[in-house]
Amino acid sequence: MEEMTFKYQHLTFTKQDKNEPREYELLLLADPSKDLVDQYLEQSDTFIARQNEETLGIVILLPLTEEIIEIKNIAVKPEFQGQGIGSYLIENAIKVAALKKYKKILIGTANSSIGQLYLYQKLGFEISEIRKNFFTDNYAEPIYENGVQAKHMLILAKQL
Ligand code: ACO
């Protein structure tokens, strides 16, 4: 894929070269299974938000079909969360998907991920599907957030 760099204030959004080291610290914040992360990274593109050469966040885009692409992983360094960088990453991922002529972009999150569900809906995604027991079936350890067990994956979709 051609180089794509978007700029906003002091942030740049750039596609990572396949031979650059993977940002596991960030990737595992969004998805605790390194095996699953390694599986989807093979077929995905990684985009990085940087400020003065420092990586602040990442977003991973995985094409599913010729028309549908999914945000498989999005994460912002904890000390930089809540400042709009997550929104910036999603907005730019949507731009990339639209430029590449995808018709629909998906993002999945757990039933327990209340903040993420709020954020994705605010950015125009709508709940479209539930993958029942996705987290209990695919993750060795139980995951709890906000005192609620992550059991099902909610898929949200946005038409492009
Ligand atoms: N709880 C409550 N509200 C939240 C949360 C949360 N966990 N996360 C974001 N929000 C809200 C913010 O308050 C903000 O609302 P506002 O605009 O009304 O003030 C809005 O969502 C946008 O927040 P941003 O600042 O743009 O988002 P941020 O830079 O914090 O990035 C992200 C959001 C990526 C979810 C970040 O919190 C993060 O890295 N979390 C850990 C990893 C993670 O959970 N990733 C998503 C997993 S699902 C997947 O990867 C497909």
Side-chain angles (χ1 to χ4, degrees):
M1 189 158 99
E2 67 279 15
E3 171 79 12
M4 282 189 187
T5 300
F6 300 114
K7 291 201 162 97
Y8 167 73
Q9 295 185 351
H10 301 293
L11 288 174
T12 57
F13 179 87
T14 313
K15 188 172 160 240
Q16 189 184 40
D17 217 65
K18 291 271 183 213
N19 53 27
E20 284 177 61
R22 291 176 173 175
E23 300 276 355
Y24 283 114
E25 209 172 306
L26 280 165
L27 291 161
L28 297 174
L29 268 185
D31 187 340
S33 167
K34 184 165 181 296
D35 285 349
L36 286 182
V37 168
D38 281 334
Q39 271 174 38
Y40 56 70
L41 282 185
E42 288 300 317
Q43 272 85 45
S44 303
D45 285 323
T46 298
F47 293 87
I48 300 197
R50 285 195 186 88
Q51 181 174 252
N52 305 325
E53 308 299 313
E54 185 188 357
T55 296
L56 303 190
I58 48 128
V59 61
I60 307 294
L61 277 173
L62 172 70
L64 300 180
T65 68
E66 278 185 11
E67 299 198 334
I68 305 173
I69 193 160
E70 180 172 346
I71 296 177
K72 285 297 286 184
N73 189 307
I74 171 163
V76 173
K77 276 190 180 164
E79 62 272 34
F80 290 96
Q81 289 175 9
Q83 299 175 31
I85 298 169
S87 306
Y88 167 84
L89 285 164
I90 295 174
E91 282 162 1
N92 282 309
I94 292 169
K95 260 194 234 173
V96 168
L99 280 171
K100 298 197 81 58
K101 311 275 187 234
Y102 286 95
K103 300 235 166 28
K104 191 155 81 167
I105 185 163
L106 308 182
I107 190 162
T109 195
N111 57 284
S112 49
S113 300
I114 304 304
Q116 288 82 342
L117 282 167
Y118 160 73
L119 172 59
Y120 306 155
Q121 290 177 88
K122 213 166 75 166
L123 293 174
F125 289 81
E126 285 194 24
I127 293 173
S128 64
E129 186 192 329
I130 301 180
R131 293 190 191 146
K132 292 282 273 183
N133 302 315
F134 179 86
F135 291 96
T136 42
D137 288 348
N138 289 288
Y139 291 79
E141 301 292 328
I143 304 167
Y144 282 86
E145 291 177 293
N146 314 302
V148 174
Q149 187 174 4
K151 291 184 183 169
H152 317 298
M153 184 183 277
L154 305 187
I155 305 293
L156 295 93
K158 183 179 166 74
Q159 297 296 331
L160 298 170

mmCIF file of all heavy atoms in Angstrom, residues 26-31 40 58 70-78 80-90 106-110 113-116 118-120 122-123 145-146 153, ligand 1:
data_model
loop_
_atom_site.group_PDB
_atom_site.id
_atom_site.type_symbol
_atom_site.label_atom_id
_atom_site.label_comp_id
_atom_site.label_asym_id
_atom_site.label_seq_id
_atom_site.Cartn_x
_atom_site.Cartn_y
_atom_site.Cartn_z
ATOM 1 N N LEU A 26 1.349 -1.593 23.147
ATOM 2 C CA LEU A 26 0.047 -1.015 22.801
ATOM 3 C C LEU A 26 -0.935 -2.087 22.342
ATOM 4 O O LEU A 26 -2.090 -2.116 22.773
ATOM 5 C CB LEU A 26 0.228 0.025 21.694
ATOM 6 C CG LEU A 26 0.731 1.390 22.155
ATOM 7 C CD1 LEU A 26 1.214 2.213 20.973
ATOM 8 C CD2 LEU A 26 -0.358 2.134 22.907
ATOM 9 N N LEU A 27 -0.463 -2.977 21.470
ATOM 10 C CA LEU A 27 -1.362 -3.998 20.908
ATOM 11 C C LEU A 27 -2.015 -4.836 22.004
ATOM 12 O O LEU A 27 -3.202 -5.162 21.945
ATOM 13 C CB LEU A 27 -0.569 -4.918 19.976
ATOM 14 C CG LEU A 27 -0.070 -4.274 18.680
ATOM 15 C CD1 LEU A 27 1.062 -5.081 18.060
ATOM 16 C CD2 LEU A 27 -1.224 -4.137 17.697
ATOM 17 N N LEU A 28 -1.235 -5.168 23.046
ATOM 18 C CA LEU A 28 -1.765 -6.040 24.108
ATOM 19 C C LEU A 28 -2.662 -5.283 25.089
ATOM 20 O O LEU A 28 -3.397 -5.897 25.860
ATOM 21 C CB LEU A 28 -0.618 -6.743 24.847
ATOM 22 C CG LEU A 28 0.215 -7.688 23.962
ATOM 23 C CD1 LEU A 28 1.423 -8.235 24.730
ATOM 24 C CD2 LEU A 28 -0.627 -8.846 23.419
ATOM 25 N N LEU A 29 -2.636 -3.951 25.026
ATOM 26 C CA LEU A 29 -3.601 -3.170 25.820
ATOM 27 C C LEU A 29 -5.017 -3.403 25.297
ATOM 28 O O LEU A 29 -5.975 -3.469 26.061
ATOM 29 C CB LEU A 29 -3.327 -1.670 25.643
ATOM 30 C CG LEU A 29 -2.426 -0.901 26.554
ATOM 31 C CD1 LEU A 29 -2.489 0.587 26.170
ATOM 32 C CD2 LEU A 29 -2.840 -1.073 28.005
ATOM 33 N N ALA A 30 -5.124 -3.492 23.971
ATOM 34 C CA ALA A 30 -6.445 -3.647 23.352
ATOM 35 C C ALA A 30 -6.860 -5.101 23.250
ATOM 36 O O ALA A 30 -8.048 -5.408 23.184
ATOM 37 C CB ALA A 30 -6.446 -3.022 21.957
ATOM 38 N N ASP A 31 -5.872 -6.009 23.199
ATOM 39 C CA ASP A 31 -6.156 -7.420 22.977
ATOM 40 C C ASP A 31 -5.119 -8.247 23.736
ATOM 41 O O ASP A 31 -3.956 -8.307 23.328
ATOM 42 C CB ASP A 31 -6.062 -7.705 21.467
ATOM 43 C CG ASP A 31 -6.506 -9.122 21.131
ATOM 44 O OD1 ASP A 31 -6.511 -9.976 22.036
ATOM 45 O OD2 ASP A 31 -6.839 -9.352 19.960
ATOM 46 N N TYR A 40 -3.648 -11.928 13.294
ATOM 47 C CA TYR A 40 -4.258 -10.939 12.393
ATOM 48 C C TYR A 40 -3.270 -9.918 11.866
ATOM 49 O O TYR A 40 -3.495 -9.332 10.807
ATOM 50 C CB TYR A 40 -5.539 -10.312 12.958
ATOM 51 C CG TYR A 40 -5.515 -9.628 14.301
ATOM 52 C CD1 TYR A 40 -4.857 -8.430 14.492
ATOM 53 C CD2 TYR A 40 -6.224 -10.164 15.375
ATOM 54 C CE1 TYR A 40 -4.891 -7.782 15.718
ATOM 55 C CE2 TYR A 40 -6.256 -9.531 16.606
ATOM 56 C CZ TYR A 40 -5.583 -8.350 16.778
ATOM 57 O OH TYR A 40 -5.607 -7.707 17.997
ATOM 58 N N ILE A 58 -1.889 3.341 18.193
ATOM 59 C CA ILE A 58 -1.871 2.527 16.971
ATOM 60 C C ILE A 58 -3.288 2.128 16.602
ATOM 61 O O ILE A 58 -4.175 2.048 17.461
ATOM 62 C CB ILE A 58 -1.066 1.212 17.143
ATOM 63 C CG1 ILE A 58 -1.498 0.519 18.437
ATOM 64 C CG2 ILE A 58 0.425 1.409 17.096
ATOM 65 C CD1 ILE A 58 -1.873 -0.870 18.219
ATOM 66 N N GLU A 70 -11.940 -4.232 8.753
ATOM 67 C CA GLU A 70 -12.226 -4.173 10.195
ATOM 68 C C GLU A 70 -11.073 -3.517 10.955
ATOM 69 O O GLU A 70 -9.904 -3.792 10.674
ATOM 70 C CB GLU A 70 -12.451 -5.592 10.740
ATOM 71 C CG GLU A 70 -12.758 -5.590 12.239
ATOM 72 C CD GLU A 70 -13.190 -6.939 12.797
ATOM 73 O OE1 GLU A 70 -13.515 -7.857 12.005
ATOM 74 O OE2 GLU A 70 -13.200 -7.079 14.031
ATOM 75 N N ILE A 71 -11.420 -2.671 11.906
ATOM 76 C CA ILE A 71 -10.424 -2.165 12.864
ATOM 77 C C ILE A 71 -10.273 -3.278 13.901
ATOM 78 O O ILE A 71 -11.173 -3.531 14.695
ATOM 79 C CB ILE A 71 -10.888 -0.854 13.542
ATOM 80 C CG1 ILE A 71 -11.014 0.267 12.507
ATOM 81 C CG2 ILE A 71 -9.927 -0.475 14.667
ATOM 82 C CD1 ILE A 71 -11.536 1.591 13.056
ATOM 83 N N LYS A 72 -9.145 -3.993 13.863
ATOM 84 C CA LYS A 72 -8.974 -5.148 14.743
ATOM 85 C C LYS A 72 -8.402 -4.759 16.091
ATOM 86 O O LYS A 72 -8.529 -5.510 17.071
ATOM 87 C CB LYS A 72 -8.006 -6.165 14.105
ATOM 88 C CG LYS A 72 -8.585 -6.953 12.981
ATOM 89 C CD LYS A 72 -9.752 -7.825 13.399
ATOM 90 C CE LYS A 72 -9.354 -9.046 14.201
ATOM 91 N NZ LYS A 72 -10.549 -9.900 14.479
ATOM 92 N N ASN A 73 -7.709 -3.617 16.138
ATOM 93 C CA ASN A 73 -7.011 -3.266 17.377
ATOM 94 C C ASN A 73 -6.792 -1.759 17.355
ATOM 95 O O ASN A 73 -6.389 -1.213 16.333
ATOM 96 C CB ASN A 73 -5.671 -4.017 17.396
ATOM 97 C CG ASN A 73 -4.935 -3.913 18.710
ATOM 98 O OD1 ASN A 73 -4.711 -2.815 19.210
ATOM 99 N ND2 ASN A 73 -4.514 -5.055 19.255
ATOM 100 N N ILE A 74 -7.107 -1.116 18.463
ATOM 101 C CA ILE A 74 -6.812 0.318 18.595
ATOM 102 C C ILE A 74 -6.376 0.564 20.029
ATOM 103 O O ILE A 74 -6.993 0.040 20.975
ATOM 104 C CB ILE A 74 -8.016 1.206 18.205
ATOM 105 C CG1 ILE A 74 -7.714 2.662 18.584
ATOM 106 C CG2 ILE A 74 -9.326 0.767 18.796
ATOM 107 C CD1 ILE A 74 -8.571 3.675 17.923
ATOM 108 N N ALA A 75 -5.300 1.300 20.193
ATOM 109 C CA ALA A 75 -4.816 1.575 21.548
ATOM 110 C C ALA A 75 -4.029 2.874 21.582
ATOM 111 O O ALA A 75 -3.346 3.230 20.620
ATOM 112 C CB ALA A 75 -3.931 0.430 22.037
ATOM 113 N N VAL A 76 -4.174 3.551 22.716
ATOM 114 C CA VAL A 76 -3.459 4.806 22.982
ATOM 115 C C VAL A 76 -2.684 4.606 24.286
ATOM 116 O O VAL A 76 -3.201 3.987 25.230
ATOM 117 C CB VAL A 76 -4.467 5.978 23.102
ATOM 118 C CG1 VAL A 76 -3.781 7.253 23.545
ATOM 119 C CG2 VAL A 76 -5.196 6.185 21.776
ATOM 120 N N LYS A 77 -1.461 5.106 24.341
ATOM 121 C CA LYS A 77 -0.666 4.987 25.571
ATOM 122 C C LYS A 77 -1.470 5.546 26.742
ATOM 123 O O LYS A 77 -2.042 6.641 26.626
ATOM 124 C CB LYS A 77 0.638 5.779 25.437
ATOM 125 C CG LYS A 77 1.734 5.022 24.743
ATOM 126 C CD LYS A 77 3.052 5.757 24.871
ATOM 127 C CE LYS A 77 4.150 4.981 24.157
ATOM 128 N NZ LYS A 77 5.337 5.799 23.913
ATOM 129 N N PRO A 78 -1.506 4.818 27.871
ATOM 130 C CA PRO A 78 -2.380 5.226 28.976
ATOM 131 C C PRO A 78 -2.241 6.700 29.363
ATOM 132 O O PRO A 78 -3.243 7.372 29.589
ATOM 133 C CB PRO A 78 -1.951 4.300 30.118
ATOM 134 C CG PRO A 78 -1.459 3.074 29.419
ATOM 135 C CD PRO A 78 -0.828 3.534 28.138
ATOM 136 N N PHE A 80 -1.671 9.164 27.601
ATOM 137 C CA PHE A 80 -2.174 10.080 26.566
ATOM 138 C C PHE A 80 -3.653 9.846 26.261
ATOM 139 O O PHE A 80 -4.204 10.461 25.353
ATOM 140 C CB PHE A 80 -1.340 9.945 25.285
ATOM 141 C CG PHE A 80 0.054 10.483 25.429
ATOM 142 C CD1 PHE A 80 1.107 9.639 25.729
ATOM 143 C CD2 PHE A 80 0.301 11.842 25.298
ATOM 144 C CE1 PHE A 80 2.406 10.130 25.874
ATOM 145 C CE2 PHE A 80 1.588 12.351 25.447
ATOM 146 C CZ PHE A 80 2.646 11.495 25.738
ATOM 147 N N GLN A 81 -4.299 8.918 26.991
ATOM 148 C CA GLN A 81 -5.716 8.651 26.728
ATOM 149 C C GLN A 81 -6.578 9.839 27.170
ATOM 150 O O GLN A 81 -6.166 10.627 28.013
ATOM 151 C CB GLN A 81 -6.163 7.380 27.463
ATOM 152 C CG GLN A 81 -5.564 6.129 26.838
ATOM 153 C CD GLN A 81 -5.873 4.850 27.600
ATOM 154 O OE1 GLN A 81 -6.672 4.841 28.524
ATOM 155 N NE2 GLN A 81 -5.216 3.763 27.223
ATOM 156 N N GLY A 82 -7.762 9.930 26.571
ATOM 157 C CA GLY A 82 -8.703 10.975 26.965
ATOM 158 C C GLY A 82 -8.381 12.342 26.388
ATOM 159 O O GLY A 82 -8.919 13.356 26.835
ATOM 160 N N GLN A 83 -7.494 12.382 25.380
ATOM 161 C CA GLN A 83 -7.141 13.671 24.766
ATOM 162 C C GLN A 83 -7.509 13.713 23.285
ATOM 163 O O GLN A 83 -7.001 14.549 22.543
ATOM 164 C CB GLN A 83 -5.630 13.921 24.895
ATOM 165 C CG GLN A 83 -5.141 13.983 26.320
ATOM 166 C CD GLN A 83 -3.618 14.098 26.392
ATOM 167 O OE1 GLN A 83 -2.983 14.671 25.515
ATOM 168 N NE2 GLN A 83 -3.043 13.542 27.440
ATOM 169 N N GLY A 84 -8.336 12.771 22.860
ATOM 170 C CA GLY A 84 -8.792 12.795 21.468
ATOM 171 C C GLY A 84 -7.957 11.966 20.504
ATOM 172 O O GLY A 84 -8.269 11.917 19.315
ATOM 173 N N ILE A 85 -6.916 11.292 20.995
ATOM 174 C CA ILE A 85 -6.045 10.551 20.066
ATOM 175 C C ILE A 85 -6.752 9.300 19.541
ATOM 176 O O ILE A 85 -6.624 8.953 18.363
ATOM 177 C CB ILE A 85 -4.688 10.214 20.728
ATOM 178 C CG1 ILE A 85 -3.976 11.520 21.086
ATOM 179 C CG2 ILE A 85 -3.817 9.363 19.804
ATOM 180 C CD1 ILE A 85 -2.764 11.353 21.985
ATOM 181 N N GLY A 86 -7.545 8.640 20.391
ATOM 182 C CA GLY A 86 -8.314 7.470 19.937
ATOM 183 C C GLY A 86 -9.281 7.877 18.830
ATOM 184 O O GLY A 86 -9.379 7.201 17.802
ATOM 185 N N SER A 87 -9.968 8.997 19.019
ATOM 186 C CA SER A 87 -10.890 9.487 17.982
ATOM 187 C C SER A 87 -10.118 9.809 16.706
ATOM 188 O O SER A 87 -10.564 9.484 15.599
ATOM 189 C CB SER A 87 -11.609 10.756 18.461
ATOM 190 O OG SER A 87 -12.223 10.524 19.694
ATOM 191 N N TYR A 88 -8.965 10.440 16.862
ATOM 192 C CA TYR A 88 -8.113 10.786 15.712
ATOM 193 C C TYR A 88 -7.707 9.523 14.938
ATOM 194 O O TYR A 88 -7.758 9.488 13.701
ATOM 195 C CB TYR A 88 -6.884 11.525 16.248
ATOM 196 C CG TYR A 88 -5.741 11.721 15.303
ATOM 197 C CD1 TYR A 88 -5.715 12.794 14.412
ATOM 198 C CD2 TYR A 88 -4.645 10.854 15.305
ATOM 199 C CE1 TYR A 88 -4.636 12.979 13.546
ATOM 200 C CE2 TYR A 88 -3.570 11.043 14.445
ATOM 201 C CZ TYR A 88 -3.566 12.099 13.573
ATOM 202 O OH TYR A 88 -2.505 12.287 12.720
ATOM 203 N N LEU A 89 -7.342 8.464 15.668
ATOM 204 C CA LEU A 89 -6.945 7.211 15.013
ATOM 205 C C LEU A 89 -8.122 6.609 14.240
ATOM 206 O O LEU A 89 -7.969 6.165 13.099
ATOM 207 C CB LEU A 89 -6.456 6.204 16.061
ATOM 208 C CG LEU A 89 -5.063 6.451 16.641
ATOM 209 C CD1 LEU A 89 -4.868 5.645 17.924
ATOM 210 C CD2 LEU A 89 -3.982 6.080 15.620
ATOM 211 N N ILE A 90 -9.303 6.604 14.859
ATOM 212 C CA ILE A 90 -10.472 6.002 14.189
ATOM 213 C C ILE A 90 -10.878 6.843 12.977
ATOM 214 O O ILE A 90 -11.150 6.305 11.900
ATOM 215 C CB ILE A 90 -11.650 5.835 15.169
ATOM 216 C CG1 ILE A 90 -11.272 4.822 16.249
ATOM 217 C CG2 ILE A 90 -12.916 5.403 14.434
ATOM 218 C CD1 ILE A 90 -12.294 4.667 17.353
ATOM 219 N N LEU A 106 -15.820 -2.124 10.077
ATOM 220 C CA LEU A 106 -16.328 -2.744 11.304
ATOM 221 C C LEU A 106 -15.369 -2.500 12.452
ATOM 222 O O LEU A 106 -14.163 -2.314 12.253
ATOM 223 C CB LEU A 106 -16.457 -4.262 11.134
ATOM 224 C CG LEU A 106 -17.219 -4.825 9.941
ATOM 225 C CD1 LEU A 106 -17.236 -6.356 10.027
ATOM 226 C CD2 LEU A 106 -18.646 -4.283 9.921
ATOM 227 N N ILE A 107 -15.900 -2.552 13.669
ATOM 228 C CA ILE A 107 -15.051 -2.566 14.862
ATOM 229 C C ILE A 107 -15.776 -3.412 15.902
ATOM 230 O O ILE A 107 -16.991 -3.322 16.043
ATOM 231 C CB ILE A 107 -14.736 -1.127 15.348
ATOM 232 C CG1 ILE A 107 -13.666 -1.155 16.443
ATOM 233 C CG2 ILE A 107 -15.977 -0.367 15.802
ATOM 234 C CD1 ILE A 107 -12.990 0.190 16.677
ATOM 235 N N GLY A 108 -15.018 -4.276 16.577
ATOM 236 C CA GLY A 108 -15.637 -5.162 17.559
ATOM 237 C C GLY A 108 -15.131 -4.844 18.952
ATOM 238 O O GLY A 108 -13.964 -4.480 19.124
ATOM 239 N N THR A 109 -16.017 -4.976 19.923
ATOM 240 C CA THR A 109 -15.577 -4.770 21.299
ATOM 241 C C THR A 109 -16.430 -5.605 22.244
ATOM 242 O O THR A 109 -17.463 -6.127 21.859
ATOM 243 C CB THR A 109 -15.586 -3.262 21.660
ATOM 244 O OG1 THR A 109 -14.833 -3.072 22.846
ATOM 245 C CG2 THR A 109 -16.989 -2.719 21.864
ATOM 246 N N ALA A 110 -15.960 -5.724 23.480
ATOM 247 C CA ALA A 110 -16.646 -6.617 24.422
ATOM 248 C C ALA A 110 -17.896 -5.969 25.006
ATOM 249 O O ALA A 110 -17.995 -4.742 25.091
ATOM 250 C CB ALA A 110 -15.692 -6.987 25.558
ATOM 251 N N SER A 113 -17.028 -3.383 27.557
ATOM 252 C CA SER A 113 -16.212 -2.213 27.214
ATOM 253 C C SER A 113 -17.098 -0.980 26.997
ATOM 254 O O SER A 113 -17.320 -0.535 25.866
ATOM 255 C CB SER A 113 -15.389 -2.492 25.957
ATOM 256 O OG SER A 113 -14.534 -3.584 26.162
ATOM 257 N N ILE A 114 -17.609 -0.460 28.100
ATOM 258 C CA ILE A 114 -18.620 0.598 28.042
ATOM 259 C C ILE A 114 -18.085 1.864 27.367
ATOM 260 O O ILE A 114 -18.743 2.447 26.505
ATOM 261 C CB ILE A 114 -19.104 0.941 29.481
ATOM 262 C CG1 ILE A 114 -19.629 -0.324 30.181
ATOM 263 C CG2 ILE A 114 -20.170 2.024 29.463
ATOM 264 C CD1 ILE A 114 -20.728 -1.044 29.452
ATOM 265 N N GLY A 115 -16.875 2.297 27.744
ATOM 266 C CA GLY A 115 -16.303 3.523 27.176
ATOM 267 C C GLY A 115 -16.082 3.389 25.680
ATOM 268 O O GLY A 115 -16.353 4.318 24.907
ATOM 269 N N GLN A 116 -15.600 2.222 25.262
ATOM 270 C CA GLN A 116 -15.337 1.999 23.845
ATOM 271 C C GLN A 116 -16.651 2.008 23.051
ATOM 272 O O GLN A 116 -16.721 2.587 21.962
ATOM 273 C CB GLN A 116 -14.609 0.655 23.646
ATOM 274 C CG GLN A 116 -13.171 0.656 24.119
ATOM 275 C CD GLN A 116 -13.022 0.439 25.622
ATOM 276 O OE1 GLN A 116 -13.955 0.599 26.396
ATOM 277 N NE2 GLN A 116 -11.821 0.092 26.050
ATOM 278 N N TYR A 118 -19.319 3.589 23.737
ATOM 279 C CA TYR A 118 -19.733 4.991 23.665
ATOM 280 C C TYR A 118 -18.936 5.710 22.573
ATOM 281 O O TYR A 118 -19.504 6.377 21.699
ATOM 282 C CB TYR A 118 -19.504 5.600 25.046
ATOM 283 C CG TYR A 118 -19.411 7.094 25.093
ATOM 284 C CD1 TYR A 118 -20.554 7.883 24.937
ATOM 285 C CD2 TYR A 118 -18.198 7.729 25.321
ATOM 286 C CE1 TYR A 118 -20.468 9.262 25.007
ATOM 287 C CE2 TYR A 118 -18.105 9.101 25.392
ATOM 288 C CZ TYR A 118 -19.239 9.865 25.225
ATOM 289 O OH TYR A 118 -19.152 11.214 25.284
ATOM 290 N N LEU A 119 -17.623 5.528 22.598
ATOM 291 C CA LEU A 119 -16.751 6.211 21.642
ATOM 292 C C LEU A 119 -17.089 5.819 20.197
ATOM 293 O O LEU A 119 -17.249 6.679 19.330
ATOM 294 C CB LEU A 119 -15.288 5.856 21.973
ATOM 295 C CG LEU A 119 -14.202 6.303 21.004
ATOM 296 C CD1 LEU A 119 -14.204 7.820 20.846
ATOM 297 C CD2 LEU A 119 -12.825 5.858 21.511
ATOM 298 N N TYR A 120 -17.236 4.513 19.939
ATOM 299 C CA TYR A 120 -17.450 4.064 18.565
ATOM 300 C C TYR A 120 -18.812 4.551 18.037
ATOM 301 O O TYR A 120 -18.922 4.942 16.876
ATOM 302 C CB TYR A 120 -17.349 2.529 18.465
ATOM 303 C CG TYR A 120 -16.048 1.955 19.020
ATOM 304 C CD1 TYR A 120 -15.966 0.649 19.489
ATOM 305 C CD2 TYR A 120 -14.893 2.741 19.082
ATOM 306 C CE1 TYR A 120 -14.782 0.128 19.999
ATOM 307 C CE2 TYR A 120 -13.708 2.231 19.605
ATOM 308 C CZ TYR A 120 -13.666 0.928 20.068
ATOM 309 O OH TYR A 120 -12.496 0.425 20.590
ATOM 310 N N LYS A 122 -20.339 7.232 19.032
ATOM 311 C CA LYS A 122 -20.226 8.679 18.831
ATOM 312 C C LYS A 122 -19.560 8.997 17.485
ATOM 313 O O LYS A 122 -19.837 10.016 16.869
ATOM 314 C CB LYS A 122 -19.410 9.290 19.979
ATOM 315 C CG LYS A 122 -19.870 10.681 20.313
ATOM 316 C CD LYS A 122 -19.334 11.171 21.620
ATOM 317 C CE LYS A 122 -17.877 11.549 21.501
ATOM 318 N NZ LYS A 122 -17.428 12.337 22.652
ATOM 319 N N LEU A 123 -18.708 8.062 17.026
ATOM 320 C CA LEU A 123 -18.021 8.277 15.748
ATOM 321 C C LEU A 123 -18.798 7.681 14.565
ATOM 322 O O LEU A 123 -18.265 7.559 13.471
ATOM 323 C CB LEU A 123 -16.598 7.704 15.815
ATOM 324 C CG LEU A 123 -15.674 8.447 16.791
ATOM 325 C CD1 LEU A 123 -14.327 7.741 16.918
ATOM 326 C CD2 LEU A 123 -15.448 9.896 16.351
ATOM 327 N N GLU A 145 -14.023 -6.178 33.083
ATOM 328 C CA GLU A 145 -13.873 -4.723 32.960
ATOM 329 C C GLU A 145 -15.056 -4.107 33.683
ATOM 330 O O GLU A 145 -16.189 -4.579 33.527
ATOM 331 C CB GLU A 145 -13.989 -4.277 31.498
ATOM 332 C CG GLU A 145 -12.863 -4.680 30.605
ATOM 333 C CD GLU A 145 -13.142 -4.229 29.173
ATOM 334 O OE1 GLU A 145 -14.082 -4.772 28.557
ATOM 335 O OE2 GLU A 145 -12.448 -3.333 28.709
ATOM 336 N N ASN A 146 -14.799 -3.061 34.408
ATOM 337 C CA ASN A 146 -15.877 -2.355 35.107
ATOM 338 C C ASN A 146 -16.723 -3.339 35.935
ATOM 339 O O ASN A 146 -17.929 -3.168 36.068
ATOM 340 C CB ASN A 146 -16.787 -1.617 34.105
ATOM 341 C CG ASN A 146 -16.014 -0.837 33.059
ATOM 342 O OD1 ASN A 146 -15.227 0.036 33.417
ATOM 343 N ND2 ASN A 146 -16.188 -1.151 31.793
ATOM 344 N N MET A 153 -18.724 -10.563 21.892
ATOM 345 C CA MET A 153 -18.185 -9.436 21.130
ATOM 346 C C MET A 153 -19.328 -8.747 20.384
ATOM 347 O O MET A 153 -20.106 -9.398 19.685
ATOM 348 C CB MET A 153 -17.124 -9.885 20.130
ATOM 349 C CG MET A 153 -16.517 -8.685 19.419
ATOM 350 S SD MET A 153 -15.333 -9.128 18.174
ATOM 351 C CE MET A 153 -13.886 -9.354 19.152
HETATM 352 N N1 ACO B 1 -14.420 4.881 29.542
HETATM 353 C C1 ACO B 1 -15.186 5.987 29.400
HETATM 354 N N2 ACO B 1 -15.100 6.845 28.369
HETATM 355 C C2 ACO B 1 -14.172 6.584 27.444
HETATM 356 C C3 ACO B 1 -13.294 5.455 27.514
HETATM 357 C C4 ACO B 1 -13.445 4.589 28.631
HETATM 358 N N3 ACO B 1 -12.674 3.493 28.784
HETATM 359 N N4 ACO B 1 -12.487 5.479 26.441
HETATM 360 C C5 ACO B 1 -12.822 6.591 25.735
HETATM 361 N N5 ACO B 1 -13.831 7.242 26.332
HETATM 362 C C6 ACO B 1 -14.503 8.439 25.877
HETATM 363 C C7 ACO B 1 -13.793 9.696 26.302
HETATM 364 O O1 ACO B 1 -14.244 10.146 27.545
HETATM 365 C C8 ACO B 1 -14.155 10.672 25.191
HETATM 366 O O2 ACO B 1 -15.413 11.245 25.397
HETATM 367 P P1 ACO B 1 -15.665 12.803 25.160
HETATM 368 O O3 ACO B 1 -15.165 13.097 23.750
HETATM 369 O O4 ACO B 1 -17.132 12.922 25.332
HETATM 370 O O5 ACO B 1 -14.834 13.467 26.209
HETATM 371 C C9 ACO B 1 -14.309 9.785 23.983
HETATM 372 O O6 ACO B 1 -14.503 8.455 24.463
HETATM 373 C C10 ACO B 1 -13.110 9.890 23.048
HETATM 374 O O7 ACO B 1 -11.962 9.619 23.727
HETATM 375 P P2 ACO B 1 -10.531 9.812 23.056
HETATM 376 O O8 ACO B 1 -9.738 10.720 23.926
HETATM 377 O O9 ACO B 1 -10.635 10.133 21.617
HETATM 378 O O10 ACO B 1 -10.031 8.333 23.174
HETATM 379 P P3 ACO B 1 -8.625 7.814 23.743
HETATM 380 O O11 ACO B 1 -7.502 8.571 23.150
HETATM 381 O O12 ACO B 1 -8.695 7.702 25.207
HETATM 382 O O13 ACO B 1 -8.613 6.356 23.088
HETATM 383 C C11 ACO B 1 -9.065 4.063 23.486
HETATM 384 C C12 ACO B 1 -9.675 5.453 23.315
HETATM 385 C C13 ACO B 1 -8.300 3.692 22.224
HETATM 386 C C14 ACO B 1 -10.214 3.063 23.690
HETATM 387 C C15 ACO B 1 -8.107 4.104 24.714
HETATM 388 O O14 ACO B 1 -8.842 4.400 25.864
HETATM 389 C C16 ACO B 1 -7.314 2.826 24.929
HETATM 390 O O15 ACO B 1 -6.216 2.656 24.372
HETATM 391 N N6 ACO B 1 -7.823 1.894 25.769
HETATM 392 C C17 ACO B 1 -7.119 0.651 26.068
HETATM 393 C C18 ACO B 1 -7.143 -0.284 24.873
HETATM 394 C C19 ACO B 1 -8.554 -0.591 24.387
HETATM 395 O O16 ACO B 1 -9.457 -0.846 25.160
HETATM 396 N N7 ACO B 1 -8.734 -0.589 23.042
HETATM 397 C C20 ACO B 1 -10.003 -0.895 22.395
HETATM 398 C C21 ACO B 1 -10.261 -2.341 22.403
HETATM 399 S S1 ACO B 1 -11.427 -2.838 21.122
HETATM 400 C C22 ACO B 1 -10.465 -2.913 19.692
HETATM 401 O O17 ACO B 1 -9.273 -2.791 19.780
HETATM 402 C C23 ACO B 1 -11.129 -3.109 18.362
#
